[in-house]
Amino acid sequence: MGCKVDTLTERHGLTVAASEYDSVDDFLVARWTGRNGRSAEGYKTLTEWFNKRLLKRIYEAHGRDTMSAHLDREYELITGESTLQRDELGADLATDGLDIDDLGRELVSWSTMRHHLKGCLDAEKDATPATTDWETNTVQLARERTAEKTRSVLSSLSSKERLPNAERAEVQVQVKLTCPDCSVRVPFEEAVDRGYVCETHLETDSETSSKERWRTTLSGLATPYGVLEAVQTVLLQESLLLEAFLVPGL
């Protein structure tokens, strides 16, 4: 017997827009495990994706607006604490034959999503290498948060028709390190694995000046959603230049 995720998927006929996924389950496992080189996503992110997909289908069945930005705002109110805005939304939903509390109970929790992935689907992530430490985890967390925020921005841009269909874009966040003495640039994970950014300049007599260049460059960069703030303490003692950028692909 399937769990709540299975029941809701079948009851509402939930699907995935991207053709590369065979089903909702295939999408969830691929995103959780980081298949095909993508960054692995956490239970919270996948739970929100599933719930909003479900909410959109319910709204469609009741003839309600399903624009992404509109849906995102109402999802936050439905799952949030009792406020005047939530009460107003509840009254508005009632005109379309929907009860806000019933909707809230219909949505799944992150623990349900965890059970579905690990219990129902027997999905497994690659074992974390023994060398993984808090520094690497901090950078990974910054990437996940940036990707999540970017998806919200794309949803808003799509609703405003400034970037049509933007919410369908795949968001990838990469962190690359550049040698301060030459043009060599490598992904953060690769640099950590091999123990250096640039083999040629691994040993340098200008360590102090390189660190100063790093600090100066860091203070002048403007990266959204605090990515640099999250990883500054990780890399401040190295003579490296951090570059974080987003690669959305339709």
Side-chain angles (χ1 to χ4, degrees):
M1 183 176 179
C3 68
K4 186 176 181 180
V5 174
D6 289 321
T7 301
L8 291 172
T9 299
E10 182 177 357
R11 180 191 302 163
H12 297 280
L14 301 185
T15 59
V16 182
S19 59
E20 62 186 291
Y21 303 106
D22 297 330
S23 63
V24 169
D25 283 347
D26 185 43
F27 174 90
L28 292 172
V29 171
R31 291 304 183 89
W32 185 61
T33 58
R35 194 170 70 197
N36 299 329
R38 291 190 174 90
S39 298
E41 297 183 0
Y43 300 122
K44 181 177 183 294
T45 299
L46 295 176
T47 299
E48 287 189 1
W49 175 86
F50 182 85
N51 282 339
K52 289 178 181 179
R53 197 78 180 168
L54 172 63
L55 192 60
K56 181 178 181 179
R57 185 55 60 89
I58 294 174
Y59 275 18
E60 288 173 342
H62 287 77
R64 192 170 176 83
D65 184 8
T66 60
M67 291 293 289
S68 296
H70 183 77
L71 197 69
D72 289 344
R73 175 181 174 277
E74 296 196 356
Y75 174 76
E76 294 299 325
L77 291 174
I78 291 170
T79 58
E81 299 295 329
S82 179
T83 62
L84 177 60
Q85 287 184 318
R86 190 178 189 277
D87 292 341
E88 290 174 346
L89 174 60
D92 187 45
L93 287 167
T95 63
D96 290 322
L98 294 168
D99 182 273
I100 190 169
D101 293 324
D102 287 344
L103 282 176
R105 286 187 287 268
E106 188 82 341
L107 304 177
V108 304
S109 65
W110 71 267
S111 58
T112 298
M113 180 59 66
R114 179 183 62 183
H115 171 74
H116 181 65
L117 287 164
K118 302 181 72 173
C120 301
L121 302 180
D122 293 324
E124 294 182 356
K125 285 188 177 183
D126 292 337
T128 303
T131 56
T132 297
D133 46 27
W134 72 267
E135 291 93 342
T136 302
N137 291 336
T138 298
V139 174
Q140 177 61 27
L141 179 60
R143 292 173 60 186
E144 291 179 0
R145 287 177 176 173
T146 302
E148 184 177 349
K149 290 292 186 180
T150 302
R151 280 189 285 270
S152 295
V153 170
L154 292 177
S155 176
S156 178
L157 289 172
S158 177
S159 67
K160 296 176 181 177
E161 299 187 350
R162 291 180 59 191
L163 190 60
N165 298 319
E167 75 277 5
R168 297 180 58 193
E170 297 289 341
V171 178
Q172 299 179 26
V173 180
Q174 296 182 347
V175 177
K176 290 192 174 183
L177 307 178
T178 300
C179 174
D181 298 310
C182 68
S183 60
V184 171
R185 183 171 61 178
V186 297
F188 170 78
E189 293 84 355
E190 182 178 335
V192 172
D193 286 343
R194 67 187 190 182
Y196 60 85
V197 174
C198 174
E199 187 173 15
T200 302
H201 298 104
L202 180 60
E203 298 293 339
T204 175
D205 294 329
S206 57
E207 181 179 359
T208 301
S209 61
S210 294
K211 286 183 178 179
E212 187 59 35
R213 286 201 303 275
W214 156 247
R215 293 189 179 93
T216 302
T217 302
L218 180 63
S219 65
L221 289 175
T223 303
Y225 315 120
V227 176
L228 293 180
E229 180 182 352
V231 297
Q232 182 175 0
T233 57
V234 179
L235 303 174
L236 193 54
Q237 299 305 314
E238 301 295 335
S239 305
L240 308 174
L241 169 63
L242 173 68
E243 177 183 285
F245 60 97
L246 312 176
V247 185
L250 287 174

